[in-house]
Amino acid sequence: QVQLVESGGGLVQPGGSLRLSCAASMNIFNFSAMGWYRQAPGKERELVAAIVVNGITRYADSVKGRFAISRDRARNAIYLQMNNLKPEDTAVYFCNARRTWLNRDDWGQGTQVSVSS
């Protein structure tokens, strides 16, 4: 069982920044991809950013130019740097680890990000 532990959420004013971290209990290069999803109240969970094992990244259109996903192999962790935060970024953010060959997704417990003045 893979464990994914998120941290770094909180309350920030519009225009502010936060950095989310996700620590995995195994080598992150065992996953075909890792990423961040978010779910706002009353809305479906949506992909925010992902990084494939070969390093290719993808972002939701709504966060391009503001968010950046990165990884640290030594720490078995991924990060989401969020800049110029907007109220519409308010959501619970979940770390995801995918193993395509097992048809398996693992999830963290989520961390709340609230953007409000």
Side-chain angles (χ1 to χ4, degrees):
Q1 181 71 23
V2 175
Q3 289 188 331
L4 302 170
V5 180
E6 301 109 330
S7 60
L11 173 64
V12 65
Q13 292 185 340
S17 298
L18 284 174
R19 186 185 189 224
L20 304 183
S21 300
C22 172
S25 61
M26 63 188 294
N27 186 333
I28 60 173
F29 281 76
N30 287 332
F31 303 116
S32 49
M34 295 188 72
W36 292 93
Y37 287 71
R38 67 187 180 188
Q39 187 166 20
K43 294 188 177 181
E44 293 187 355
R45 191 172 296 190
E46 63 174 357
L47 174 69
V48 176
I51 183 165
V52 185
V53 65
N54 61 7
I56 294 175
T57 59
R58 61 177 292 195
Y59 296 91
D61 287 342
S62 59
V63 307
K64 283 180 181 177
R66 301 189 296 123
F67 291 11
I69 188 170
S70 61
R71 62 188 176 186
D72 185 330
R73 183 172 190 171
R75 290 180 168 80
N76 287 325
I78 65 167
Y79 306 95
L80 186 68
Q81 179 66 43
M82 305 185 294
N83 298 325
N84 190 21
L85 282 159
K86 303 176 180 181
E88 51 263 42
D89 295 317
T90 295
V92 178
Y93 284 69
F94 297 90
C95 179
N96 167 269
R98 176 164 296 173
R99 284 174 283 181
T100 304
W101 56 89
L102 294 177
N103 192 31
R104 181 182 176 96
D105 280 295
D106 289 288
W107 297 91
Q109 81 285 357
T111 185
Q112 177 71 46
V113 171
S114 298
V115 185
S116 175
S117 55

